[in-house]
Amino acid sequence: MTKTTLSSPTDKIYPPGKCIETENRSRLTIKPIRFPENISKIPFAPIVQATLMKDGIFQIRAVFLVARKPKGQKEDEGDKIDELQFDIYQNWYVDLSGRRQLQFFIAYDIDDNIEVNFDVYEASFRAEKDPYGENAFANIETIQTFLWDIDPETSRGTETTVQHN
């Protein structure tokens, strides 16, 4: 087993698992959603829907809030906002009962300042069956989905019950 040692507090820490393709990714807001009383760097938990389709496709849709990234100092100019760059990582693991489990990480890199303005993003992606093959998803009842800031100050997650279509 390899021990991870940070050489400095600014090292990037990527989530476990494999980076997978995202079918759809978009910012849903033009104007920010404001939480003026926010006093925490911890991100909001994502809202996630997971569906195992009849054809065996495992479809995940996530909506999440991320602190607004202004290009300049003027946050009120909606057309001057950087689009968030993020990747989706899928991690298979086996729990203490010997059952396969799935985790997904929405990984991005932003400053860890306390913010009051947030953008809403949507991501849609399909879980990959590797390394377990055709019956990979047969016994998956819940998944975990995390927002993961790679810088590595903050992350936040949620557990979602899998729907069977």
Side-chain angles (χ1 to χ4, degrees), residues 29-155:
T29 51
I30 295 173
K31 292 188 175 190
I33 293 177
R34 291 186 49 80
F35 290 89
E37 293 82 16
N38 185 42
I39 57 171
S40 175
K41 295 181 195 179
I42 304 297
F44 293 97
I47 300 168
V48 181
Q49 180 183 44
T51 307
L52 181 56
M53 311 297 276
K54 288 179 182 175
D55 59 3
I57 292 173
F58 198 111
Q59 184 71 44
I60 298 96
R61 297 185 190 281
V63 174
F64 53 97
L65 280 77
V66 177
R68 180 159 270 212
K69 283 180 50 176
K71 281 186 179 177
Q73 296 300 316
K74 298 178 183 177
E75 292 185 14
D76 57 345
E77 297 182 37
D79 58 342
K80 301 261 185 185
I81 299 300
D82 279 338
E83 191 79 18
L84 179 70
Q85 300 299 311
F86 63 90
D87 291 310
I88 307 291
Y89 288 79
Q90 175 180 320
N91 185 48
W92 282 102
Y93 71 98
V94 177
D95 68 12
L96 295 175
S97 301
R99 293 179 299 213
R100 290 188 295 252
Q101 299 293 327
L102 266 174
Q103 294 175 318
F104 297 95
F105 298 88
I106 302 166
Y108 56 86
D109 187 14
I110 62 170
D111 292 335
D112 283 322
N113 299 321
I114 295 173
E115 296 292 340
V116 298
N117 293 316
F118 296 84
D119 283 317
V120 178
Y121 288 87
E122 175 184 32
S124 175
F125 51 96
R126 294 179 178 181
E128 294 185 1
K129 296 178 181 181
D130 292 336
Y132 296 108
E134 284 305 309
N135 293 322
F137 309 127
N139 297 317
I140 302 294
E141 295 177 8
T142 61
I143 63 167
Q144 295 175 334
T145 308
F146 298 88
L147 292 184
W148 181 287
D149 194 348
I150 63 172
D151 62 5
E153 291 287 321
T154 56
S155 67

Side-chain angles (χ1 to χ4, degrees), residues 3-13 151-152:
K3 182 177 180 184
T4 302
T5 306
L6 297 177
S7 57
S8 80
T10 60
D11 283 352
K12 306 294 185 198
I13 298 178
D151 62 5

